[in-house]
Amino acid sequence: MTASAAQLLDLSSWSHRLSAEVLGPGDLAVDLTAGRGHDCLHLARCVASDRCGTVLAFDIQEEAIASSLALLHAAGLPAERICRPQQIGPHGNFLAALSHERLELFLPRQPKVVLANLGYLPGGDHRTATGTASSLRTAQDALAALLPGGRLLLVSYTGHPGGLEEYQGLQHHLATLSPRNWQVLELRPLGRSNAPVLLVAEKRAPRL
Ligand SMILES: C[S@@+](CC[C@H](N)C(=O)[O-])C[C@H]1O[C@@H](n2cnc3c(N)ncnc32)[C@H](O)[C@@H]1O
């Protein structure tokens, strides 16, 4: 497969493109599942977290927080571990070893992007994966919190136990959002069983 063909089907890369489109320096972006830090790093660059923007990230595994901090530091970006919302400074990358269900409590202001790469930690314990009920609750909180013009992006994997149910729960909820207030998109490779899916919801700006 050529590099461009591989990238066409890489939904993480689509989530990066679709978040970069709406993010700018100074914005707040949230990574609900920090994992190895690749999404955090992307968001950190989009919001210029070294100068003015902020990334807030969660992960329930210490290993993931440590990996993400190391990746951000290796890229020369400021990144710190936090355990309370009061520790979030005016700009930078703030990582909490907590469930993304704490999102509402930790948000310092309205985010422009909330991104989640669901499932389990690559190279880690496959039994510690995101779950249907908690992902759905947090997705609902994220939709309520987004700035107008902001996007929720969910990369969902269906091949591991519980993955299909999680995707179906999220997809069903996003499909019920009013087209007056939301633009919703589902992106998936065709002809491949168990391929990941990218769900995107963009909050429309209020009509004048
Ligand atoms: C596919 S990985 C994330 C990949 C990551 N965004 C990256 O760029 O490398 C999924 C992560 O979700 C985390 N996770 C599972 N349940 C969670 C929860 N309730 N809150 C936050 N993170 C969770 C796992 O520990 C795992 O690290």
Side-chain angles (χ1 to χ4, degrees), residues 30 32 100 103-104 107 109-115 134-154 169-178 181-185 199-204:
V30 180
L32 296 175
H100 53 57
L103 174 69
E104 236 187 329
L107 279 178
R109 55 194 165 98
Q110 284 184 279
K112 194 69 181 287
V113 159
V114 178
L115 188 150
S134 61
S135 295
L136 184 56
R137 272 197 302 275
T138 304
Q140 289 168 328
D141 290 343
L143 291 169
L146 276 179
L147 278 172
R151 290 177 179 171
L152 171 68
L153 300 114
L154 304 168
L170 291 164
Q171 196 255 19
H172 181 262
H173 181 68
L174 295 190
T176 65
L177 295 175
S178 161
N181 304 322
W182 296 94
Q183 300 195 87
V184 183
L185 173 74
L199 297 165
V200 187
E202 181 181 297
K203 190 180 267 189
R204 285 186 189 273

Side-chain angles (χ1 to χ4, degrees), residues 32-34 36 38-39 59-61 99-100 117-118 120 130:
L32 296 175
T33 56
R36 299 289 176 201
H38 304 290
D39 296 321
D59 203 294
I60 50 172
Q61 295 192 73
S99 171
H100 53 57
N117 212 316
L118 301 167
Y120 53 79
T130 52

